[in-house]
């Protein structure tokens, strides 16, 4: 009897470890379905072929195109925005597609080994750009004045708002119902700050996968972050959880670049505008973030680059 | 229990023996340290155990209060067989005082606390009662004025006298001494032996492992000579020291008398 | 530095969690570790094996895994701490000792207990065998021998390694941050997220408070060591 319990316990430890480490895998193997509208086509991005003389000499873009290699800071635990199952695979998500468009514009194949995808958790992102660990950050990177003092941020290419994920049978309808209750979000994230501003008690977690586990286990009554991420999680835990409530914050998601390369801003804005016009942006949105009930929103207006 | 009838023939006294060992065997791996030991000690008797190093004298003492287990045979105390581990064994040990070669006073307790710990925790006496009796005993062994000190602040002879007081505080039925003076400087040996002689005169039953012939001659009723794990010879002290029977004993006495 | 001052109440609250995790797990692990050490040096073979098994299992498992077990695996086998819900109101906001806090505390306690056990056992081994024998010879049962004679002396010999275990514990409380308790480390990362321009002063402020806490433990251990040495 005791031995059996121990065995079960050991299995449970392994299970929890793997759940927490990977978020829940699966899902993406069923013929490449995205987290968005059912049956939507994924965006395929192909590298430009001729970069000779395309960029001004001495610019960071010219250097990267010349080197033929680039490092991108991305999230790995946000289904819909940036998710990566193993460190050497190519991540997936809306952020990732935006990064791929930029990479391809530099004549680098975004699916190749020439791209170094690097996990950048919330509080590492400025550091990585400053010390050159990564060339660009595409990691649900909210644009704020404080951050713009340290690094460059172009965009926003996406507007999101924070919502709430609760168990399927929960009576909670919005963040307002959770005053004084525990609500989970990633540590060091803006989502966690916002939860506390709304009067709930922030429960920090290393990843959103852990938060979802807590909701499913009944350890906390809810978790909260960008609606797009929550919808991705709701798909993974289908039938167990649901996304509720209006958005109670507005996040302006942009691309981060090195403070030493201000010339990248116009280039990034150019590539994003092109994606707006060509329909690539809408296709990526529908595939990763879209819902059956609604059309894709208008792409957000981009901030002007500071001179 | 048929012990009581058998014990009528105990030597050195009348009535049942206080301590009885029958057919006791013990091994340490391949080493046979106690070989078929038969020994009766009567109430009030003082037995000196003597013999070369490694003969098994300490093991014998330790077997009697079961600090060591035995492989075969029986040990009876006051007619009762030694219990197995547990509370009953602890109770038995409380009735057997033991004095070690290396004193083993509790290093973190004062002299008085050393003497009162057992009575308070084991005999459940009140602290006042234990303190009163403890001070009497410390006075009796001549270290009453050191009661508040820690063991490390005392000389070896003083420590050993405290150890005797600690054992006496439990009102034991029998006292075991394992070479109580061997670790002492010569000038301190006498102060400890004097306490032991006094004890013997007051009628305490004692089993004493020692090479002090003076003590054996004055205080012992009997000398037991051990060699290689066996009891080789038993005699009264005078006979043993002047006219030993066995060659092993002659040889041994020859060696210790040369010094 | 402004960010730090601006959020002083939140920081104070965060360190309150750190200190509470430390104190509860510190006391709990000392008790559990002492019991384990007693089992390991005791006369009953089954308990000896159980104690050794516990130490081997827990000591060789990373702390995160131990806490993750209580946070995410235990609820799945219905080992939940939902019955724990203590709210301590303070001027800076409520301190909530809830199911998450309890799971993290239990994890920290069970993990640290293995190290307390081994630190104590080294202390017990440093007590001469004759001490326990003399105590047994006056008729004390095993528990009494340990409580009155061996452990008091072992504790003294174990104070330096035990202090190290407790210092490791206060630093280990930061692991609970990634697993649901809003302790100091989480608050530090949160502040850096709010204002990355101030990350160096924020970092220095938090590191300094941690250094002060660790120094307090070292100082207490040092004083304790000196006090018992007189005896
Ligand atoms: N714990 C032990 N393990 C193995 N051998 C032991 C142990 N204790 C004593 N012995 C051996 O048993 C024999 C008898 O020891 P002991 O009783 O101490 O002799 P004595 O006290 O007569 O000198 C010696 O050979 C000694 O080495
Ligand atoms: Mg000996």
């Amino acid at each position: 009897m005791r031995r059996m319990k121990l065995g079960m316990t050991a299995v449970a430890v392994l299970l929890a470890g793997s759940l927490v480490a990977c978020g829940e895998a699966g899902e993406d193997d069923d013929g490449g379905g995205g987290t968005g509208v059912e049956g939507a086509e994924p965006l395929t991005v192909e590298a430009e072929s001729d970069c000779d003389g395309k960029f001004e000499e001495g610019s960071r873009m010219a250097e990267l195109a010349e080197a033929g290699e680039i490092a991108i800071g991305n999230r790995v635990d946000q289904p819909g925005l940036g998710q990566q199952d193993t460190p050497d695979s190519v991540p997936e998500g809306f952020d990732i597609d935006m990064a791929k468009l930029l990479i391809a514009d530099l004549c680098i194949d975004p699916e190749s080994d020439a791209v170094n995808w690097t996990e950048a958790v919330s509080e590492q992102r400025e550091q990585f750009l400053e010390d050159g660990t990564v060339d660009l950050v595409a990691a649900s990177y909210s644009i704020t004045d404080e951050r713009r003092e340290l690094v460059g941020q172009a965009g926003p290419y996406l507007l999101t708002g924070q919502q709430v994920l609760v168990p399927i049978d929960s009576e909670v309808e919005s963040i307002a119902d959770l005053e004084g209750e525990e609500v989970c979000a990633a540590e060091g994230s803006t989502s966690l700050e916002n939860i506390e501003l709304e009067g709930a008690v922030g429960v920090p977690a290393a990843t959103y996968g852990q938060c979802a586990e807590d909701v499913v286990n009944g350890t906390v009554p809810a978790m909260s972050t960008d609606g797009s991420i929550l919808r991705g999680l709701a798909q993974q835990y289908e039938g167990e959880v649901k996304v509720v409530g209006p958005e109670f914050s507005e996040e302006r998601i942009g691309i981060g670049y090195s403070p030493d390369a201000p010339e990248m801003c116009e280039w990034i804005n150019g590539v994003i505008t092109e994606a707006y016009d060509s329909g690539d942006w809408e296709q990526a949105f529908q595939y990763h973030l879209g819902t059956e009930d609604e059309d894709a929103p208008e792409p957000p207006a981009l901030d002007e680059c500071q001179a | 229990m048929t012990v009581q009838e058998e014990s009528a023939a105990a030597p050195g006294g009348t009535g049942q023996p206080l301590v009885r060992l029958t057919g006791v065997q013990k091994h340490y791996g391949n080493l046979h340290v106690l070989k078929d030991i038969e020994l009766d000690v009567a109430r009030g008797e003082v037995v000196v155990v003597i013999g070369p190093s490694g003969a098994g004298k300490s093991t014998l003492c330790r077997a009697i209060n079961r600090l060591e287990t035995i492989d075969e045979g029986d040990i009876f105390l006051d007619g009762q067989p030694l219990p197995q581990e547990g509370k009953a064994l602890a109770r038995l040990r409380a009735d057997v005082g033991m004095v070690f070669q290396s004193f083993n006073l509790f290093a973190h307790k004062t002299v008085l606390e050393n003497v009162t710990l057992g009575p308070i925790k084991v005999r459940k006496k009140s602290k006042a009662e234990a303190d009163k009796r403890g001070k009497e005993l410390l006075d009796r062994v001549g270290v009453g004025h050191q009661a508040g000190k820690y063991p490390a602040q005392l000389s070896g002879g003083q420590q050993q006298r405290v150890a005797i007081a600690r054992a006496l505080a439990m009102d034991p039925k029998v006292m075991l001494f394992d070479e109580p003076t061997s670790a002492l400087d010569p000038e301190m040996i006498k102060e400890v032996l004097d306490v032991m002689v006094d004890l013997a005169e007051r009628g305490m039953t004692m089993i004493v492992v020692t090479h002090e012939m003076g003590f054996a001659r004055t205080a012992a009723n009997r000398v037991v000579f051990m060699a290689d794990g066996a009891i080789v010879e038993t005699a009264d002290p005078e006979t043993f020291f002047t006219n030993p029977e066995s060659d092993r004993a002659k040889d041994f006495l020859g060696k210790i008398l040369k010094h | 530095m402004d960010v730090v001052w601006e959020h002083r109440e939140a920081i104070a609250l965060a360190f309150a969690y750190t200190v509470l995790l430390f104190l509860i797990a510190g006391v709990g692990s000392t008790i559990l570790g002492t019991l384990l050490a007693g089992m390991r040096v005791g006369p009953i073979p089954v308990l000896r094996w159980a104690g050794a098994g516990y130490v081997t299992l827990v000591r060789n498992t990373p702390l995160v895994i131990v806490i993750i077990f209580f946070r995410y695996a235990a609820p799945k086998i219905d080992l939940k701490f939902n019955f724990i819900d203590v709210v301590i109101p303070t001027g800076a906001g409520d301190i909530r000792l809830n199911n998450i806090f309890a799971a993290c505390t239990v994890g920290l306690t069970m993990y640290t207990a293995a190290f307390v056990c081994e630190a104590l056992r080294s202390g017990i081994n440093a007590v001469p065998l004759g001490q326990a024998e003399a105590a047994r010879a006056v008729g004390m049962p095993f528990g009494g021998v340990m409580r009155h004679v061996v452990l008091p002396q072992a504790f003294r010999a174990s104070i330096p390694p035990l202090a190290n275990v407790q210092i490791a514990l206060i630093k280990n409380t930061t692991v609970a941050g990634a697993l649901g308790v809003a302790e100091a480390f989480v608050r530090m990362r949160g502040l850096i997220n709010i204002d990355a321009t101030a990350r160096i002063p924020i970092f220095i402020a938090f590191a300094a408070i941690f250094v002060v806490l660790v120094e307090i433990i070292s100082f207490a251990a040092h004083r304790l060591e000196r006090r018992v040495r007189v005896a």
Side-chain angles (χ1 to χ4, degrees):
Chain A
M1 187 60 201
R2 171 165 303 169
R3 189 164 299 162
M4 220 174 77
K5 259 210 180 116
L6 264 181
M8 268 170 53
T9 314
V11 168
V13 169
L14 291 177
L15 198 87
S18 61
L19 283 183
V20 168
C22 314
E24 210 150 77
E27 183 67 32
D28 353 61
D29 303 325
D30 53 355
T35 46
V37 176
E38 207 152 321
E41 281 298 306
L43 181 67
T44 44
V45 184
E46 291 197 3
E48 301 272 313
S49 54
D50 186 11
C51 283
D52 278 351
K54 180 173 172 184
F55 301 107
E56 196 178 320
E57 191 128 339
S59 69
R60 184 63 62 88
M61 292 79 78
E63 284 169 22
L64 291 167
E66 171 77 12
E69 280 180 354
I70 189 165
I72 309 289
N74 59 281
R75 301 295 304 233
V76 303
D77 62 339
Q78 298 183 343
L81 288 179
Q83 187 179 25
Q84 191 177 15
D85 294 333
T86 60
D88 12 281
S89 63
V90 176
E92 285 187 46
F94 187 73
D95 285 342
I96 304 301
D97 278 356
M98 293 300 114
K100 283 181 178 173
L101 289 168
L102 291 164
I103 296 164
D105 196 61
L106 296 168
C107 301
I108 300 171
D109 178 2
E111 307 292 333
S112 73
D113 286 349
V115 185
N116 181 5
W117 300 100
T118 305
E119 180 180 3
V121 299
S122 296
E123 82 277 7
Q124 288 173 333
R125 294 173 297 195
E126 291 82 27
Q127 187 68 46
F128 277 7
L129 286 171
E130 284 174 309
D131 65 19
T133 306
V134 301
D135 301 299
L136 295 172
V137 163
S140 65
Y141 198 15
S142 307
I143 297 171
T144 67
D145 291 344
E146 284 87 359
R147 286 177 181 157
R148 274 188 168 157
E149 280 180 35
L150 288 176
V151 297
Q153 288 186 314
Y157 59 82
L158 181 67
L159 300 181
T160 72
Q162 206 165 321
Q163 286 175 285
V164 182
L165 182 98
V166 294
I168 199 93
D169 54 2
S170 167
E171 286 173 5
V172 169
E173 285 172 357
S174 75
I175 189 74
D177 296 339
L178 290 161
E179 201 171 331
E181 300 280 334
E182 276 85 359
V183 178
C184 186
E187 54 171 325
S189 70
T190 312
S191 303
L192 191 60
E193 308 300 329
N194 288 338
I195 287 169
E196 296 185 345
L197 289 177
E198 295 291 325
V201 179
V203 171
T207 67
Y208 284 104
Q210 284 180 13
C211 282
E213 278 292 307
D214 270 347
V215 172
V216 170
N217 288 340
T219 307
V220 296
M223 68 177 284
S224 174
T225 185
D226 293 346
S228 50
I229 299 171
L230 295 182
R231 279 189 290 279
L233 287 166
Q235 283 214 341
Q236 288 187 349
Y237 292 90
E238 208 173 340
E240 294 184 87
V241 296
K242 62 184 179 189
V243 180
V244 297
E247 297 179 345
F248 60 90
S249 71
E250 189 194 64
E251 297 297 324
R252 304 165 69 245
I253 308 295
I255 297 283
Y257 57 91
S258 163
D260 304 327
E263 69 274 15
M264 293 183 102
C265 182
E266 292 293 356
W267 166 65
I268 295 167
N269 275 358
V271 172
I272 294 174
T273 306
E274 215 171 291
Y276 285 0
D277 297 342
S278 68
D280 284 356
W281 184 90
E282 188 180 339
Q283 191 180 348
F285 185 94
Q286 291 295 62
Y287 182 71
H288 293 294
L289 304 173
T291 56
E292 273 78 25
D293 325 329
E294 285 173 75
D295 290 343
E298 279 297 301
L302 303 178
D303 291 353
E304 300 229 335
C305 293
Q306 285 118 330
Chain B
M1 295 287 134
T2 55
V3 189
Q4 286 170 341
E5 292 129 60
E6 286 172 6
S7 62
T14 51
Q16 67 173 17
L18 189 61
V19 181
R20 157 166 282 202
L21 290 82
T22 58
V24 171
Q25 310 275 3
K26 178 165 179 77
H27 299 258
Y28 280 124
N30 288 331
L31 185 68
H32 199 168
V33 276
L34 293 180
K35 294 177 185 160
D36 199 22
I37 300 293
E38 303 278 338
L39 179 67
D40 283 358
V41 179
R43 204 176 296 274
E45 195 182 14
V46 176
V47 172
V48 161
V49 181
I50 199 165
S53 171
K57 308 181 295 292
S58 297
T59 309
L60 179 73
C61 272
R62 296 162 59 83
I64 292 172
N65 70 353
R66 213 169 175 287
L67 286 176
E68 301 285 355
T69 55
I70 56 174
D71 302 338
E72 272 175 57
D74 293 295
I75 300 177
F76 299 92
L77 187 83
D78 213 0
Q80 301 294 314
L82 292 201
Q84 296 298 305
E85 278 299 334
K87 288 270 188 295
L89 177 62
R91 234 181 345 263
L92 164 118
R93 288 202 186 112
D95 288 340
V96 179
M98 175 122 188
V99 176
F100 300 87
Q101 181 174 344
S102 48
F103 330 135
N104 293 349
L105 292 181
F106 305 133
H108 62 305
K109 301 259 178 215
T110 63
V111 162
L112 182 61
E113 285 165 351
N114 260 274
V115 178
T116 57
L117 186 67
I120 293 171
K121 299 297 175 193
V122 179
R123 295 272 192 241
K124 309 289 177 205
K125 287 195 187 172
S126 73
K127 184 168 182 307
E129 199 183 343
D131 279 356
K132 181 164 168 287
R133 170 96 170 114
K135 281 181 187 138
E136 276 169 27
L137 286 167
L138 288 174
D139 282 337
R140 181 164 137 200
V141 300
V143 286
H145 54 293
Q146 315 277 23
K149 290 191 179 169
Y150 283 92
Q153 296 168 292
L154 267 54
S155 75
Q158 289 170 327
Q159 287 192 51
Q160 195 62 300
R161 284 183 281 151
V162 174
I164 294 172
R166 175 175 68 182
L168 287 174
M170 300 299 292
D171 296 318
K173 292 177 177 166
V174 55
M175 293 266 289
L176 308 173
F177 295 80
D178 188 3
E179 305 207 28
T181 56
S182 300
L184 296 178
D185 293 338
E187 73 269 22
M188 295 174 188
I189 292 177
K190 187 171 178 300
E191 67 191 46
V192 172
L193 290 179
D194 285 349
V195 170
M196 290 168 61
V197 169
D198 176 59
L199 258 184
E201 282 167 358
R202 288 165 183 250
M204 175 61 74
T205 309
M206 297 163 69
I207 299 174
V208 184
V209 177
T210 184
H211 294 161
E212 295 295 332
M213 274 188 294
F215 174 80
R217 283 175 192 254
T218 25
N221 303 99
R222 237 183 335 151
V223 174
V224 169
F225 177 69
M226 277 184 83
D228 291 335
I231 294 180
V232 178
E233 188 173 341
T234 306
D236 67 87
E238 206 46 46
T239 317
F240 179 77
F241 289 115
T242 52
N243 192 13
E245 245 173 53
S246 63
D247 293 342
R248 291 296 305 263
K250 284 179 189 147
D251 186 45
F252 174 73
L253 285 175
K255 276 181 191 152
I256 63 165
L257 289 176
K258 265 181 208 141
H259 294 288
Chain C
M1 218 58 209
D2 288 351
V3 204
V4 175
W5 184 246
E6 203 179 305
H7 291 89
R8 60 192 179 279
E9 292 198 335
I11 295 173
L13 203 59
F15 272 101
Y17 278 115
T18 299
V19 170
L20 278 171
L21 283 169
F22 167 70
L23 287 179
I24 299 175
V27 171
S29 62
T30 304
I31 295 170
L32 181 59
T34 307
L35 287 177
L36 283 168
M39 283 163 67
R40 290 206 68 176
V41 301
I44 304 169
V46 179
L47 292 183
R48 274 210 300 268
W49 295 329
Y54 179 97
V55 169
T56 311
L57 181 73
V58 175
R59 199 167 53 153
N60 294 325
T61 308
L63 172 61
V64 202
I65 308 274
V66 175
I67 302 185
I68 280 177
F69 172 80
F70 287 102
R71 280 285 280 107
Y72 302 103
K76 294 203 187 298
I77 53 172
D78 258 326
L79 176 59
K80 296 184 182 183
F81 299 95
N82 290 349
F83 58 93
I84 293 180
D85 192 10
V86 180
V87 178
I88 308 172
T90 73
D94 290 350
I95 296 175
R96 298 171 73 106
L97 309 184
N98 52 18
N99 52 345
I100 298 171
F101 182 89
C104 289
T105 309
V106 167
L108 276 170
T109 300
M110 298 206 41
Y111 179 80
T112 309
F115 293 88
V116 169
C117 167
E118 290 308 275
L120 270 181
R121 214 162 57 90
S122 75
I124 290 170
N125 289 338
V127 178
L129 205 61
Q131 293 287 312
E133 284 197 339
R136 284 158 70 199
V138 294
M140 281 191 205
F142 175 76
V145 174
M146 293 303 286
R147 192 160 67 246
H148 301 303
V149 176
V150 177
L151 284 178
Q153 298 188 57
F155 264 117
R156 193 183 313 179
S158 311
I159 289 172
L162 280 177
N164 286 340
V165 169
Q166 298 303 322
I167 287 169
L169 170 61
I170 198 163
K171 294 192 280 188
N172 281 341
T173 55
T174 55
V175 172
L179 295 164
V181 177
E183 50 70 67
F185 196 56
V186 161
R187 194 54 67 184
M188 180 181 96
R189 297 172 75 170
L191 291 187
I192 290 176
N193 182 60
I194 291 174
D195 186 358
T197 51
R199 70 186 158 216
I200 295 187
I202 291 170
F203 178 78
I204 291 174
F206 277 83
I209 300 177
F210 261 112
V211 168
V212 168
L213 289 176
V214 168
E215 277 307 308
I216 291 174
I217 303 172
S218 308
F219 179 75
H222 192 73
R223 285 293 296 268
L224 195 63
E225 204 179 337
R226 282 208 349 214
R227 246 192 43 199
V228 296
R229 194 183 297 147
V230 180

